Amino acid sequence: MEQVFQVDLRGIVDLLSHHLYGSPRVYVRELLQNAVDAITARRALESDAPAVIRIETPDITGDGSIRVHDSGIGLTESEVHTFLATIGRSAKRDELGFARHEFLGQFGIGLLSCFMIADQALVVTRSAKGGPTVRWTGYADGRFRVETVEDRGEPGTTVTLLPRSGMEQWATRATVADLTALFGGLLPFPVMVDGQSGSDSVLPWQASHPTPDVRQAALAAYAEDTFGFTPFASFDLSCAEAGLTGVAFVLPHAANPAARAGHRVYLKRMLLSENLIGLLPDWAFFIRCVVDTGELRPTASREALYEDDMLDATREALGARVRDWLVELATADPGGLARFLQVHDMGVKALALHDDDMLRLVDRWLPVETNAGRIPLAEFRRRFGSVRYTPSVEEFRQLAAVSSAQGLGLVNGGYSYLSEIVERLPAIDPDIRVARLDAAELATHFDLVDPATELALRPFLSIAQRCLDRLDCEVALRGFDPPSLGALYLLDRDTAHRAELRATREVADELWADVLGAFDTGPGPDRPQLLLNYRNPLVRRVCGLTDPGLVTTAVEALYSHALLLGQHPMRPVDSALLTKSFVGLLDWAVHDPEGKI
């Protein structure tokens, strides 16, 4: 058996008026919205009809009430019964029941916001279509009364509210004036509060100015008033499909890319939200914007936008405009782009890890440290073909000069996010070749010493190896550029990992030794290498020494110098060796009048 739902009107009114909206202040917005829509409807019938909204606060009414008058189309008695007495029924729909886009309100529930501050709402209205003046009295418990009253004269509507106890502050002149300026400050016709107008008929970004510089200064002042900051730059936004125009302001300070940016959004010039999330793509975290839209759909509370295909298309169009601005900035003002990236580089790099568009921007424009200077990655590839990088700053400092001398380009990937960005480059172009450069690979570019020469130097190399064995280091003789570099200490990550793993196995118990053995990658160099550069004149002279003690001191000095040049961490034994070799060489120099070395 079919039955009809039972509806608790008091509960419905409480639900919508107290829980749909975020704050009692929205009652001013809803009353303004109804007034604007009434004026819009009347002007559709009478193009020259008056357009004015007058608000009277208790300073004028004298009885503690607030009154909102409009010169709109008004309602007939039957329309009052139809629209004011039915929750969810709106006069702003066409004959098929679809919301008419020229109106702000669509849901037929805005008047319920009045019950957030009052227990009773009084509506006196006269239709421009003719008929008597009608008074509708609604109560917060769901009751209402409709009656005809003395003619009010001109068509239009007056809404009167008497705030309940404890809500009087929402009806004071200062509060109402502030809320009217906030919600209706950009309406295209006057909104008077106790006889004073606070609306502006021209949108700030559409106002005419004598020069572009004057316009930029005016927009900067508007951003200061609206957001509290002087923007780094500003540029226009538009999306014809959404009937959207506006202006974007670039933050002058670094922003957290994880914090979603909020924007000021107007719907048909009525404020929808001061902090709307999701209008721009997440990667545009450095932008705050003010826009007015005519086609995007609000939610029932009119405090957010409805997620649909239109909003998705608008978000994509606005994101494209932001990217276009960055390209224009790079072309017209490279110095400005450099300043922008100095401010927002960390956030830009963070988003490049997930957003291909931002990755392309970073690839093309963000300067990074390389052994060829600070240049963008795209320029680096044009010079070197592929991208080799080091995952740490220490490795870069160790290998930069040597790799440059071998004709190898090297990117310092040791700074935040940069290694991950380099590794993501093939995602935007599969032809991009990326590889990590480690010490072992670099050593393959060095020249071997002539076998006969190396054989002749075997006694020297034997003494040098015995000297370095206690430092857990291998010694080798190579020829490489630059010749000014006498020795190079090479420690790649795989070698360091194997050495640490095997050292741990030696002190672990049998069970854990077996577990760690499973991670052993097999044969390979277990120790770092000290490469002596046979192209260096000093190294050649050291190799010619025959005194074992002097060879040991010289090799220890070269080892310590290589650690310092590569900015490797110094162990206690290394620090002690540095002091010992320095003192030893000084002692040898003092006691050798010829100073041969």
Side-chain angles (χ1 to χ4, degrees), residues 205 235-239 244-249 279-280 287-291 317-319 321-322:
W205 52 92
F235 55 93
D236 291 329
L237 297 174
S238 65
C239 178
L244 182 147
T245 64
V247 60
F249 299 107
L279 181 65
L280 266 62
I287 297 291
R288 297 291 183 274
C289 67
V290 183
V291 301
L318 296 182
R321 177 66 188 100
V322 175

Side-chain angles (χ1 to χ4, degrees), residues 333-347:
D333 185 10
L337 180 65
R339 292 191 299 274
F340 166 79
L341 291 175
Q342 284 178 350
V343 175
H344 296 292
D345 70 318
M346 188 64 69

